[in-house]
Amino acid sequence: MIEKKPIIFLLLATLTILVGTVITMVLPFRWINDPKLAIASVKPYTPLQLEGRDIYIREGCNNCHTQTVRPLLSDTERYGEYSKSGEFVYDQPFLWGSRRNGPDLARIGGKYPDAWHVKHMKDPRSMVPRSNMPSYDFLNRPLDTSLSEKKMKALKFPYTPADIQALQGKSEMDAIIAYMQKVGNDIPWRKTGKAEVLGELKNPFQGNMSVLPEGQKLYAEHCAQCHGIELKGEVGPDLRDLDQPDAKVFTSVYGGIAAGGMPSFGDTLGKERTWKVVTYLKSVHRK
Amino acid sequence: MNQQEGYADDIVKGFVIWSMVWGLVAVLVGVFISFQIAFPQLNFPPYLTYGRLRPIHTNAGIFGWGIGSFMAFFIYITQRLTRTSLWSPGLAKVQLWLFNVVIALAAVTLAMGMNRSKEYAELEWPVASLVVVLWVIFAVNIVMTIVKRREEQMYISLWYILATLVGVAVLYLVNNAAIPVSLTKSYSAYAGANDANVQWWYGHNAVAMVLTTPPLAIFYYFLPKATGVPIYSHRMGVVAFWSLIFMYLWTGAHHLLWTPVPDWVQTLAMGFSVMLIAPSWAAVFNGYFSMNGQWHQMRENYLVKFLIFGITFYGMQTLQGPSQAVRTFSAFIHYTDWVPGHVHMGTLGWVSLVLFAAIYYTVPRLYHTEVYSVPLANVHFWLVLTGQLIFSITMWIAGVQQAAMLNATNPDGSLHYSFIETMVELYPYWHMRALGGVIYLAGLLVFLYNIYQTIAGGKAQAAAQRA
């Protein structure tokens, strides 16, 4: 009886746990990261981006932020195109996380301009009221570049001496923002996945003063961080005396302006609330 | 009596005491980070932010309190079930030292931001290497003791102990494979979806081989000891053992449902997770049926109360877990507070209740005395039970509410709430959770005081006898 033979027992127990291990953990190496599934536009990290990623790991950002968009409406509408395995081939380690105390960051790259990130890192609640993210103002310190070259070599990422040279004078803040602007941005999903607005763009609230308080409230929540509470502009431009037709303003808010760094708010606000913001914006003038 | 039989029990005392120290650290840090989530001003960068403290909480809990006490009871149980003294008490002493050095190093390096980011495998490679040495020392000592045993038959607890020794070794070595850059920095040897799949094969089987098989070994040993009647069915225990260790290893990818890991791996994980209900509940039934004719002991014997509530939470955990592993339900509650609620029912409810019982049973015997206060043990029981239930139930409700809000849509198909609008609704729940944590901490302090007084009383009696 095997209950009397500890060494044989130990071997049998090992074999038992190895069956599931081999099938579900070892075998998938055959399929995952197969070169045939590679996405040509996905590039390795630059020295600055890699340093930024290491800061992300050091600070344990993955304890509150995930980096996988699931193919589910509530994820794709909120964050963007769902994640593909080919996007992660240079991620050692992966940073998918397991809990969203904060939002998913898989598509954070290109969503906000650098200046937004600087302000947000310094004082998260100034940009997102009632956020519970810690302040990371201390990242405004010089980046330690002593291991940068060794890191690139360890991961076999291509680099030039000029890339390493360019790290001089960079701060940790520069690095982590460089990293975040790359995350999820190697596939051209923002252009292809952009929300198509069908039908005639006509403001249902035109001249309707009753929606102004709600529009103002939405503006304060979603727009004031960059354009200022009095619309005088800061990260983004001055919005007083907006000399554009309603439909044009709607498109900018709903779909964003990629070239100018303006994020799209269609996912967050939906059409109706976007129109309310537009109505409010058009109502504000220089005194 | 124990010393006369030559059992190495001083080392058991050492592991019990140090595991309690690390358990206190784990709960203190846990309570603190629960306040940080509710009150972000309590983050003090760079060392005391949530991002750096959470791994300290999990590592102190799983490895300091969990593994520390498992080492104590594996040494205690193995000697008694084999009627043999420990193979090498000297090696065990080295093991205790190394254990404390590793946990202390883990806490310091994690606070400094040296971390591999992989959950429950955060320690950088020099510290992880020390863990490997520690485990080899431990495993050799236990296996050699079993090999030279004087009791031919191996009781079921020894099976779970052997499975733990080999399981943890395989998991830890594979998931910690790294490319070192310096003494304080390394990169995972695997990339992207491969790394994720390896990590959750490890992560979920840490639940199997650290938070399931060791407490089961302890439960199967101490329930009959506490009640005075044997376990209901050895045969059911045997069937459950082999099916449990077979099926668990297939289920890691249920942490990765809807991610870019291949669908067939996810589907296998889902199927095996549901099948795991059977062996898990075999252990629960074994516990319950052992109580036939003994249920009055729930009233009279505080040890039984801890053990039976423990196995009940195990039963609930192993129903809730498989349900979360189903794709549709996972789509809803994954990434929300539901999951921390689930995890803490397992750690605070199942694992810790069983460990409390084992400590209450062994410490008075190791010090040749009685427990200091049974009423205090009862206060301890109700406090930790209340604290844990507040924690878990609050988090389940919070998780369902946030999930519902995240999925709400407008008539035009757009989402009704932005992420932050769903998050701010969680603050009241986070306050409740912090309160639950404080109540749990109070219970833990009562427990530590009770054990401290028990040990002090035992030492005083021994000194009086010598005089």
Side-chain angles (χ1 to χ4, degrees):
Chain A
M1 277 303 284
I2 115 169
E3 294 158 57
K4 296 175 183 170
K5 301 209 172 353
I7 300 302
I8 293 179
F9 179 92
L10 208 52
L11 289 174
L12 275 178
T14 310
L15 284 178
T16 307
I17 65 170
L18 284 181
V19 179
T21 297
V22 167
I23 294 175
T24 64
M25 190 275 282
V26 180
L27 282 188
F29 274 83
R30 168 76 185 72
W31 288 278
I32 303 176
N33 295 357
D34 187 306
K36 272 181 284 189
L37 299 175
I39 301 172
S41 59
V42 175
K43 297 281 183 283
Y45 296 96
T46 65
L48 187 64
Q49 290 164 348
L50 186 62
E51 288 294 351
R53 193 168 198 270
D54 287 342
I55 293 165
Y56 186 97
I57 291 171
R58 183 187 75 197
E59 298 309 328
C61 304
N62 52 296
N63 285 294
C64 289
H65 295 284
T66 57
Q67 285 191 19
T68 24
V69 179
R70 300 172 293 174
L72 302 168
L73 183 81
S74 65
D75 268 25
T76 51
E77 283 291 297
R78 187 165 277 112
Y79 304 116
E81 178 82 3
Y82 70 88
S83 298
K84 294 151 183 65
S85 83
E87 293 184 82
F88 301 98
V89 293
Y90 299 111
D91 285 12
Q92 293 176 255
F94 80 114
L95 291 172
W96 294 355
S98 61
R99 167 81 184 97
R100 289 174 180 162
N101 278 316
D104 183 272
L105 298 181
R107 298 289 173 209
I108 192 71
K111 179 168 182 177
Y112 301 106
D114 288 359
W116 186 93
H117 283 295
V118 171
K119 286 186 70 173
H120 180 254
M121 282 286 189
K122 190 175 169 193
D123 181 5
R125 272 159 295 288
S126 72
M127 306 305 276
V128 184
R130 302 205 64 198
S131 157
N132 63 349
M133 177 165 143
S135 155
Y136 285 98
D137 199 19
F138 75 95
L139 294 181
N140 270 316
R141 61 188 185 190
L143 181 68
D144 175 6
T145 58
S146 57
L147 290 175
S148 301
E149 197 162 357
K150 273 183 89 173
K151 287 175 173 177
M152 295 298 283
K153 280 184 178 148
L155 293 173
K156 301 192 174 73
F157 289 167
Y159 67 95
T160 63
D163 292 336
I164 303 291
Q165 204 58 41
L167 295 174
Q168 295 310 314
K170 295 287 184 191
S171 69
E172 293 193 337
M173 190 72 86
D174 296 329
I176 197 164
I177 292 173
Y179 166 62
M180 290 205 298
Q181 296 292 25
K182 173 185 160 66
V183 175
N185 216 7
D186 276 0
I187 59 168
W189 71 276
R190 274 187 203 285
K191 265 176 232 148
T192 54
K194 195 165 169 179
E196 191 94 16
V197 186
L198 296 173
E200 197 187 348
L201 288 178
K202 192 170 180 307
N203 187 349
F205 304 114
Q206 197 154 34
N208 183 346
M209 305 298 275
S210 68
V211 301
L212 291 184
E214 195 190 339
Q216 185 170 16
K217 189 171 156 278
L218 290 168
Y219 175 86
E221 251 169 65
H222 300 281
C223 322
Q225 298 88 345
C226 288
H227 294 282
I229 193 74
E230 290 173 323
L231 291 76
K232 288 179 184 165
E234 201 176 330
V235 173
D238 190 330
L239 297 178
R240 292 169 298 179
D241 296 324
L242 213 49
D243 188 23
Q244 286 176 1
D246 285 13
K248 178 88 174 23
V249 181
F250 177 88
T251 322
S252 302
V253 178
Y254 195 86
I257 308 169
M262 165 84 179
S264 85
F265 286 88
D267 307 342
T268 322
L269 295 175
K271 278 184 208 159
E272 192 178 300
R273 293 197 292 176
T274 304
W275 279 121
K276 287 174 182 167
V277 173
V278 171
T279 312
Y280 170 70
L281 286 174
K282 292 294 295 276
S283 76
V284 180
H285 302 282
R286 286 190 180 80
K287 304 249 157 61
Chain B
M1 180 190 90
N2 297 333
Q3 298 297 341
Q4 283 151 15
E5 294 191 21
Y7 292 152
D9 280 345
D10 282 344
I11 206 70
V12 177
K13 294 176 188 171
F15 273 111
V16 166
I17 289 168
W18 280 104
S19 74
M20 292 193 299
V21 170
W22 295 117
L24 178 64
V25 171
V27 174
L28 279 174
V29 177
V31 169
F32 184 62
I33 62 177
S34 76
F35 275 95
Q36 283 184 321
I37 287 200
F39 305 98
Q41 306 85 335
L42 291 174
N43 285 282
F44 303 104
Y47 302 110
L48 302 180
T49 56
Y50 178 85
R52 291 201 190 183
L53 287 176
R54 185 203 172 234
I56 298 181
H57 165 65
T58 54
N59 279 275
I62 299 169
F63 300 110
W65 163 238
I67 294 277
S69 52
F70 300 148
M71 285 175 165
F73 294 117
F74 281 17
I75 294 173
Y76 180 93
I77 292 173
T78 305
Q79 294 184 100
R80 280 153 182 84
L81 287 178
T82 57
R83 290 195 288 123
T84 308
S85 59
L86 191 65
W87 182 64
S88 169
L91 210 52
K93 210 169 274 178
V94 174
Q95 183 194 332
L96 177 59
W97 273 97
L98 189 57
F99 166 74
N100 281 312
V101 167
V102 164
I103 304 290
L105 267 178
V108 172
T109 53
L110 290 173
M112 292 173 72
M114 296 163 193
N115 119 44
R116 303 174 65 242
S117 90
K118 297 175 81 167
E119 274 179 83
Y120 325 124
E122 288 94 348
L123 306 179
E124 268 300 351
W125 67 274
V127 188
S129 306
L130 288 180
V131 174
V132 174
V133 174
L134 178 68
W135 198 258
V136 170
I137 290 176
F138 175 49
V140 166
N141 218 345
I142 296 289
V143 171
M144 288 309 290
T145 308
I146 295 177
V147 167
K148 72 180 185 93
R149 72 196 182 287
R150 288 194 288 164
E151 171 70 52
E152 201 188 7
Q153 194 88 9
M154 293 194 295
Y155 177 63
I156 189 155
S157 291
L158 291 179
W159 296 36
Y160 280 111
I161 287 174
L162 286 171
T164 304
L165 294 177
V166 62
V168 169
V170 172
L171 294 165
Y172 202 82
L173 284 173
V174 174
N175 192 43
N176 276 277
I179 306 166
V181 177
S182 73
L183 268 180
T184 59
K185 178 73 196 169
S186 68
Y187 293 111
S188 173
Y190 319 109
N194 274 328
D195 195 39
N197 198 41
V198 172
Q199 157 62 24
W200 286 111
W201 162 81
Y202 166 89
H204 194 69
N205 288 292
V207 176
M209 296 297 170
V210 179
L211 301 177
T212 304
T213 51
L216 280 174
I218 292 167
F219 177 80
Y220 273 118
Y221 181 81
F222 285 103
L223 184 70
K225 286 284 176 193
T227 57
V229 294
I231 210 78
Y232 167 72
S233 165
H234 185 73
R235 181 186 294 261
M236 188 156 78
V238 169
V239 174
F241 170 84
W242 289 104
S243 38
L244 185 95
I245 67 164
F246 177 72
M247 290 197 261
Y248 240 112
L249 280 295
W250 297 69
T251 59
H254 70 215
H255 290 254
L256 297 166
L257 297 178
W258 304 100
T259 70
V261 163
D263 270 355
W264 63 269
V265 180
Q266 299 178 29
T267 304
L268 277 175
M270 183 167 92
F272 275 82
S273 300
V274 173
M275 289 196 286
L276 262 177
I277 294 174
S280 306
W281 269 77
V284 179
F285 283 135
N286 231 341
Y288 284 168
F289 291 154
S290 302
M291 294 293 289
N292 274 340
Q294 300 296 323
W295 285 103
H296 59 91
Q297 291 205 37
M298 284 292 278
R299 253 192 330 269
E300 297 150 9
N301 184 343
Y302 70 102
L303 291 176
V304 172
K305 197 159 55 191
F306 277 96
L307 289 166
I308 292 299
F309 266 83
I311 200 74
T312 302
F313 281 124
Y314 177 64
M316 286 160 52
Q317 190 75 357
T318 52
L319 287 178
Q320 196 181 47
S323 70
Q324 290 162 209
V326 174
R327 269 203 185 86
T328 35
F329 193 49
S330 167
F332 194 62
I333 49 85
H334 198 208
Y335 304 130
T336 72
D337 270 329
W338 173 285
V339 179
H342 169 71
V343 170
H344 284 81
M345 175 164 71
T347 52
L348 301 182
W350 153 238
V351 182
S352 294
L353 287 186
V354 168
L355 288 176
F356 291 142
I359 291 175
Y360 277 130
Y361 180 90
T362 50
V363 165
R365 282 167 178 78
L366 292 173
Y367 288 90
H368 311 289
T369 184
E370 294 293 313
V371 71
Y372 170 69
S373 165
V374 173
L376 274 186
N378 279 314
V379 171
H380 163 218
F381 174 80
W382 290 110
L383 282 175
V384 296
L385 182 71
T386 310
Q388 177 239 314
L389 285 177
I390 291 177
F391 185 125
S392 290
I393 294 171
T394 309
M395 290 298 94
W396 295 330
I397 298 171
V400 170
Q401 174 172 335
Q402 192 183 21
M405 291 179 80
L406 288 169
N407 281 284
T409 49
N410 297 319
D412 68 358
S414 60
L415 296 174
H416 193 67
Y417 298 102
S418 66
F419 178 83
I420 191 73
E421 286 170 321
T422 72
M423 197 216 82
V424 297
E425 296 297 326
L426 300 177
Y427 278 107
Y429 298 108
W430 287 339
H431 298 155
M432 281 296 283
R433 166 171 63 185
L435 174 72
V438 169
I439 294 172
Y440 191 91
L441 175 63
L444 186 66
L445 291 173
V446 171
F447 165 69
L448 295 177
Y449 175 77
N450 206 356
I451 295 297
Y452 173 80
Q453 288 291 353
T454 305
I455 293 175
K459 282 182 173 165
Q461 283 166 20
Q465 270 170 18
R466 271 199 301 274

